[in-house]
Amino acid sequence: MREIARLPKAHLHVHLESTIRPDTLREIAAANGIEPPGPAPERFAGFRAFADRGARVRACLRRPEDFARIAREFAADEAADGTRYAEVTFSAAAHGERLGDARMPLEAVLSGLAHGSAAHGLHTRLILDHSRRRPVQRARRTLDLALEHPEHVAAIGMAGEESHPLAPFAEVLAQAARAGVHIVHHAGEAGGADAVAEALDTGAVRIGHGIGVLGDAAVVERVRAQGVALEVCCSSNVALGFAPSLQEHPLPRLREAGLSVTLNTDVPDVARTSLTGEYERVRAAFGCSDTEMAAFARTAVAASFAPAQLKRGMEADIDAWLAGGPA
């Protein structure tokens, strides 16, 4: 079998605050006089426990140098893992509101990504997310930030507990679509096919997670017909209790349904994996061939918001990896 670390990969669903190196989190927390959370448990007692831990991680970040450092180290770690292109999710407006400086967190992250990407040959763009539980006003600020950085922000989207509907955000999302900002929602993680349909109704061109889509054949057909890719995060789904085990994950059934499936980490500190590690886990759990692993990589490149020239280069390099024989 060929070495997955050498497979050119696009990472489409990963939250920046969940990629922080443990030593970095401790050092940043100490510098800011904050007690950091301990390691994530192997399983969480519900989504709220997971979200509360994430809030404690975010609370450690206060200074521009904190945000720039985690972005710079993200780029280094992704490049070392064989990622060529990453769309990293960041809660920019929430951090700005928390710290009383609307622009600083995003500008610091962009600076860190620029330095890290240049140093390590990684291409990056941002997806700015907004919790469904939070006010529409903050969602508008998220869109404003995206519009201020069109070259660097690829999309905005709604995240968080799917029991909170998307309807209150319809006008913000419509404004984003009119402005040419891509929309990528989390949906069908804890929720079912109705949540995926709701995401499509509000303009989503990709779906974060989407595993709940299999509950309704009509929605499956809609996703397939529209060519909407799913950002599947198997290890994260298991850690958060949305799949009983990796071997019982619905990934094979999503592929059998003819859906475009990509592999991602979502929350690496919780899932305890890198993107290469996730590919390797999927290969081991489902007996995927190198041809199938290359197909996952190609699907992610095609579904990404990367420039066309970069896509062509990555597709050629994936072909070369597959043609090169066992590593």
Side-chain angles (χ1 to χ4, degrees), residues 8-66:
K9 296 179 288 295
H11 202 171
L12 305 184
H13 190 129
V14 56
H15 293 265
L16 181 62
E17 298 93 335
S18 292
T19 71
I20 305 172
R21 298 171 182 173
D23 287 348
T24 295
L25 183 61
R26 287 191 289 269
E27 290 170 12
I28 287 175
N32 291 322
I34 298 168
E35 182 67 27
E42 291 190 9
R43 295 266 185 155
F44 280 91
F47 185 86
R48 182 45 35 199
F50 158 74
D52 289 346
R53 182 185 181 277
R56 290 189 63 199
V57 171
R58 292 190 295 275
C60 295
L61 306 171
R62 301 196 61 82
R63 305 165 299 168
E65 54 264 41
D66 301 337

Side-chain angles (χ1 to χ4, degrees), residues 13 33 44 55 58 74 80 85 96 100-101 108 111 125 131-132 147 158 165 174 204 222 232 256 259 294:
H13 190 129
F44 280 91
R58 292 190 295 275
F74 166 81
Y85 173 81
D101 190 335
S111 175
R125 295 189 79 186
S131 171
R132 295 165 179 252
L147 294 173
M158 310 303 295
R222 185 178 174 190
V232 177
E256 290 165 6
L259 301 177

Side-chain angles (χ1 to χ4, degrees), residues 12 205-208 223 226-231 259-262 299 303:
L12 305 184
V205 296
R206 275 196 337 240
I207 300 292
V223 172
Q226 293 183 213
V228 173
L230 305 182
E231 304 162 357
L259 301 177
S260 296
V261 174
T262 69
T299 300

Side-chain angles (χ1 to χ4, degrees), residues 269-305:
D269 62 336
V270 171
R272 291 176 168 81
T273 190
S274 66
L275 187 57
T276 287
E278 188 72 357
Y279 271 69
E280 290 174 339
R281 286 179 181 182
V282 166
R283 179 164 68 177
F286 303 112
C288 296
S289 67
D290 285 350
T291 299
E292 291 174 295
M293 303 314 294
F296 282 123
R298 286 195 189 97
T299 300
V301 171
S304 76
F305 304 126

